[in-house]
Amino acid sequence: MAKALLGYVGGPDPRMLSEMRRLQQRVQDLENELVKLQAENDSLIAVADEHSLLNSIDLDQREPALT
């Protein structure tokens, strides 16, 4: 009786299995998108570091501070 109340009669529900497959595919798609975005972010950070204003300052030719 408890199994019938919980929906276990007749084996696994095909709709539930279909929904689980769909959700697993969605998770996999999102994980792939995350990897792609992390790689893109890393490349953008590398480019930004190369063009950083702080990197372009020549510390050997500093001007004295005003007092």
Side-chain angles (χ1 to χ4, degrees):
M1 181 68 176
K3 288 183 181 181
L5 290 174
L6 294 174
Y8 292 121
V9 174
D13 184 8
R15 293 172 295 174
M16 187 185 307
L17 293 175
S18 174
E19 180 70 6
M20 190 177 333
R21 278 190 224 103
R22 186 187 71 79
L23 291 173
Q24 287 172 339
Q25 183 62 47
R26 180 70 175 137
V27 167
Q28 185 178 8
D29 293 344
L30 290 172
E31 288 172 341
N32 291 339
E33 182 72 13
L34 178 63
V35 169
K36 180 183 127 191
L37 289 174
Q38 285 174 333
E40 184 178 342
N41 190 42
D42 291 344
S43 67
L44 289 173
I45 288 172
V47 169
D49 284 344
E50 289 176 9
H51 295 21
S52 174
L53 179 61
L54 295 175
N55 290 338
S56 66
I57 296 174
D58 187 9
L59 295 178
D60 293 332
Q61 297 189 6
R62 295 180 290 191
E63 295 182 13
L66 298 175
T67 56

